[in-house]
Amino acid sequence: MDAEFLAQISDRSSEENFTSVPGGYAKGKTKYVIITGSVMSGIGKGIFSSALGKTLQDRGLKVAPIKVEAYLNIDSGTLSPYRHGEVFVLDDGTETDMDLGSYERFLDADLSKDNFTTHGQIYHNIILKERRGDYNGRDVQYIPHVTGETKLVLRNLAMKSKADIVLVEIGGTVGDYENLFAMESVRELIYEEGKENACLVNLTYIIEPRHLGEFKSKAAQIGLKQLMGLGLQPDIIVCRSQTPITPIVRQKISMNANVPIEGVFNTYDVDNIYRLPLFYREQGIDEAILRHLGLSERHRVNGSRSLKEWTEKNIVQLKGEVTIGIAGKYTGTSDTYISIVKALEQCSVLTRTKVNVKWIEATDVETGKKKIGEEMKGVDGLIIPGGFGIRGVEGKVICARYVRENGVPFLGICYGFQIAVIEFARNVCSIKNASTEEVKKDSENNIICILPEQEEVDGLGGTLRLGGFDIRVKKGTLAWELYGRKEKVRERFRHRYNVNTKFIDVLEKNGMVFSGMAPTKRIMQILELPGHPYFIGTQYHAEFTSRPLKPNPLYLGLVKAAIKRKEGAGK
Ligand code: GLN
């Protein structure tokens, strides 16, 4: 650490009984790109950040992303997917916001708890330290302690990842009370690290009201002024809009926010998000950031075609089309099942077939408001996704029965896997009241029961069986074929219940094959039905490991089976 930096930070920190700099930290070794949003939420900050990360990564830079959430939850595990979108699960079991899924897919990287933080975590750490007596008589304050803890998290990631660039995405919008301390933390970070080591990017929104038919930049200007009012001078501004903005708008934004026009960019609606990294490259966003950070000479594009090739491979001409039904209960927003939708998109690219999604509301099937035969018309394959609770379960059982009896390709995920077992127990094994402990507390025919390790668990947060676990795949089965004849694979889990071992014999005798199991415990992890064109269930979420150009094999199997079914029907 250089002497000036020490004087600036560590001496003062030690006086305050905390440090925001990990031992051995070298300023400037890792640089920071900080992304904030203004005007409003929902402008695609997560997609922007991950696509930008891809653009930087393509230049040979090691990029470590981190999302800083402003909320007080420790993680996203207890958030309703209906309000916040899917809960994404990392290999180490961290339950995160769906943006982490986007980072993993764009960067093709397995991320960990170091890539995600919340104010809840930051406060939690501080309170623990206070209770331990770490602050040594000092009163604990938002500044310097909350900001210090936040900077420590960011610098720890820099050190641990040895990244060239830590890409910090601040959740929320400029002007929120919730993220004020995150904003203040990055202001301090930029000051301490030096302008040449940190680049502040603001993604703003240019409104184009339909009744006017022209762009209005006032909201963006106010947002940027607010950002500057926090002492944060943006280095780069990216204007998000529906259609390309005019030069006048760029000029106004430039003048308003002290950012030379070369630093004001535009991103607008595109038909395919995989276009974005190359689009940013063509505009020169990555070049402008790297120039600011003094890295552009060292990391030239060098005429590399890799990003272009990646884009071309991800955006292909599609020939036919199939429809995959998703029978869930949160069908109001596709963000609830975003990784599933992405996994299907990836299969679409590989099979060159358009994959349409049809949302089937399980509760409507349950109440009889919708008839299953009607709902399944034109559906070539069905997914029953993960879920929790009672509502919609009987509707999903009806769906599972339909696809089993009618030879419709099927993939059951987590709750979908459990429901396939219940349906099979009821209608094939004649266990009439077969159910799950999640629905019926003390029934003797609970084919699905609580995991032994979960019996003692109290509370909801972080208590499920979470994260990546190995799966032993039975040789000669469909799953084994799909996984390229591998006998050991690793996938990500998020569940509290599992197949009751008491019933495995009867299920197997009646023809259900458990083709994947936990290596050392009797936890059933994959099921299949030989003789059915494609009937697979997994206790895990195969969508979390599905990546562009490398879709998860079980999803690919489903889409291929759906294509085959549709072709067969056409003959
Ligand atoms: N509710 C089921 C369980 O806890 C399934 C969970 C899920 O689908 N993610 O086991």
Side-chain angles (χ1 to χ4, degrees):
M1 222 181 291
D2 61 74
E4 191 196 338
F5 191 48
L6 259 178
Q8 196 182 6
I9 306 169
S10 301
D11 285 1
R12 197 193 65 213
S13 301
S14 62
E15 194 180 289
E16 306 280 7
N17 297 311
F18 85 99
T19 179
S20 63
V21 187
Y25 183 80
K27 184 170 89 160
K29 208 161 171 205
T30 295
K31 309 220 175 196
Y32 297 85
V33 173
I34 297 146
I35 297 159
T36 59
S38 54
V39 177
M40 61 184 195
S41 60
I43 58 176
K45 193 151 38 77
I47 297 288
F48 170 75
S49 306
S50 33
L52 181 65
K54 171 76 191 169
T55 315
L56 295 168
Q57 190 191 51
D58 178 70
R59 292 173 70 139
L61 288 145
K62 184 158 190 224
V63 179
I66 178 165
K67 173 113 195 241
V68 180
E69 292 284 14
Y71 48 70
L72 294 178
N73 308 58
I74 295 281
D75 54 41
S76 311
T78 54
L79 297 180
S80 154
Y82 192 49
R83 266 178 76 96
H84 298 269
E86 149 193 292
V87 177
F88 192 78
V89 180
L90 304 180
D91 188 74
D92 68 0
T94 308
E95 295 173 285
T96 74
D97 173 77
M98 62 176 186
D99 283 348
L100 272 277
S102 178
Y103 284 117
E104 283 207 342
R105 287 186 288 267
F106 268 104
L107 300 177
D108 195 10
D110 286 328
L111 302 177
S112 77
K113 63 177 177 9
D114 300 327
N115 303 97
F116 181 72
T117 194
T118 68
H119 274 149
Q121 270 178 36
I122 286 166
Y123 293 146
H124 184 69
N125 290 345
I126 292 173
I127 304 282
L128 287 179
K129 286 184 183 173
E130 187 275 332
R131 291 288 82 184
R132 267 204 317 256
D134 289 4
Y135 295 107
N136 215 4
R138 172 74 159 87
D139 50 335
V140 185
Q141 300 276 11
Y142 281 102
I143 295 167
H145 299 102
V146 172
T147 53
E149 190 71 29
T150 311
K151 289 184 286 180
L152 186 63
V153 168
L154 302 180
R155 288 179 173 136
N156 271 334
L157 173 61
M159 278 203 62
K160 216 164 150 184
S161 64
K162 300 194 176 67
D164 298 300
I165 289 180
V166 163
L167 191 77
V168 187
E169 180 192 343
I170 306 288
T173 310
V174 178
D176 291 345
Y177 273 106
E178 287 81 357
N179 63 19
L180 265 182
F181 289 102
M183 294 291 185
E184 173 61 10
S185 308
V186 296
R187 188 196 64 74
E188 291 181 10
L189 183 86
I190 296 168
Y191 175 64
E192 290 173 347
E193 296 288 326
K195 280 214 76 91
E196 68 286 6
N197 293 324
C199 182
L200 182 67
V201 181
N202 187 257
L203 182 69
T204 191
Y205 192 73
I206 307 293
I207 302 166
E208 193 183 3
R210 206 179 313 154
H211 69 283
L212 295 178
E214 62 171 317
F215 293 106
K216 288 288 173 193
S217 65
K218 184 62 85 196
Q221 292 184 35
I222 292 169
L224 287 159
K225 279 269 174 342
Q226 244 176 334
L227 184 69
M228 292 190 285
L230 298 173
L232 283 162
Q233 170 62 50
D235 301 301
I236 304 284
I237 298 172
V238 180
C239 300
R240 171 84 166 82
S241 56
Q242 270 176 291
T243 53
I245 58 170
T246 56
I248 300 284
V249 176
R250 277 183 72 201
Q251 276 163 20
K252 279 189 186 169
I253 294 292
S254 159
M255 174 59 86
N256 173 74
N258 300 320
V259 174
I261 192 95
E262 305 79 49
V264 181
F265 297 92
N266 181 208
T267 177
Y268 45 86
D269 293 356
V270 288
D271 58 344
N272 189 318
I273 57 165
Y274 293 112
R275 253 184 233 298
L276 292 173
L278 189 61
F279 180 51
Y280 299 161
R281 163 73 47 79
E282 283 163 357
Q283 286 198 55
I285 302 183
D286 58 334
E287 180 61 28
I289 291 172
L290 294 191
R291 215 180 307 122
H292 177 93
L293 296 173
L295 292 174
S296 84
E297 283 303 306
R298 239 190 301 154
H299 292 276
R300 283 171 186 272
V301 176
N302 274 339
S304 130
R305 276 193 39 85
S306 64
L307 193 55
K308 207 147 179 248
E309 274 167 21
W310 182 86
T311 311
E312 279 162 8
K313 280 189 192 150
N314 273 296
I315 305 175
V316 293
Q317 279 282 325
L318 306 176
K319 296 187 300 270
E321 58 182 314
V322 287
T323 300
I324 302 289
I326 302 182
K329 62 175 181 175
Y330 303 128
T331 50
T333 156
S334 62
D335 279 357
T336 313
Y337 302 113
I338 189 75
S339 292
I340 295 180
V341 173
K342 292 291 154 196
L344 291 174
E345 270 176 29
Q346 294 151 9
C347 297
S348 163
V349 169
L350 245 71
T351 57
R352 313 237 157 185
T353 306
K354 185 161 184 260
V355 179
N356 304 312
V357 169
K358 175 172 179 188
W359 302 103
I360 298 173
E361 177 62 59
T363 40
D364 288 347
V365 176
E366 181 169 317
T367 57
K369 192 171 150 196
K370 298 258 171 74
K371 291 273 162 287
I372 182 68
E374 287 297 309
E375 283 297 276
M376 292 296 294
K377 263 201 191 127
V379 172
D380 310 299
L382 183 78
I383 291 174
I384 302 185
F388 291 85
I390 298 175
R391 195 169 62 86
V393 166
E394 289 305 320
K396 291 180 192 172
V397 171
I398 295 172
C399 295
R401 179 173 193 168
Y402 184 92
V403 293
R404 182 179 55 77
E405 291 181 343
N406 291 283
V408 181
F410 169 72
L411 179 61
I413 298 158
C414 208
Y415 217 179
F417 161 92
Q418 297 172 355
I419 278 159
V421 179
I422 294 169
E423 187 282 315
F424 190 82
R426 282 189 197 168
N427 302 316
V428 180
C429 311
S430 305
I431 308 172
K432 286 293 164 229
N433 57 350
S435 189
T436 162
E437 223 176 317
E438 193 164 349
V439 173
K440 276 194 201 164
K441 271 288 148 251
D442 295 309
S443 160
E444 58 179 25
N445 285 336
N446 276 340
I447 308 292
I448 306 297
C449 65
I450 192 121
L451 280 158
E453 68 210 54
Q454 288 283 322
E455 281 187 58
E456 305 299 317
V457 165
D458 279 332
L460 283 183
T463 56
L464 299 158
R465 178 172 179 255
L466 282 168
F469 292 97
D470 288 342
I471 298 151
R472 194 154 40 85
V473 185
K474 213 184 260 171
K475 236 174 136 172
T477 59
L478 174 60
W480 176 75
E481 281 296 343
L482 290 164
Y483 277 117
R485 306 194 161 194
K486 278 198 211 122
E487 285 178 58
K488 202 177 103 186
V489 295
R490 189 177 175 85
E491 295 283 4
R492 298 184 195 173
F493 293 76
R494 182 173 188 248
H495 65 128
R496 181 165 282 127
Y497 300 88
N498 77 145
V499 180
N500 190 338
T501 47
K502 276 198 293 195
F503 294 92
I504 292 172
D505 271 356
V506 56
L507 292 163
E508 285 181 338
K509 268 198 200 105
N510 281 282
M512 182 164 271
V513 170
F514 290 103
S515 48
M517 282 187 253
T520 54
K521 292 180 181 170
R522 275 197 102 201
I523 302 178
M524 302 300 120
Q525 319 210 109
I526 313 176
L527 68 77
E528 54 194 71
L529 289 181
H532 187 286
Y534 192 90
F535 195 101
I536 292 239
T538 63
Q539 185 58 83
Y540 52 87
H541 293 262
E543 63 275 17
F544 291 152
T545 54
S546 200
R547 301 265 166 89
L549 308 177
K550 289 185 280 183
N552 184 288
L554 301 194
Y555 277 86
L556 192 57
L558 174 76
V559 171
K560 283 186 176 165
I563 295 171
K564 202 164 158 201
R565 178 180 166 86
K566 190 167 179 192
E567 282 170 355
K571 274 181 198 147

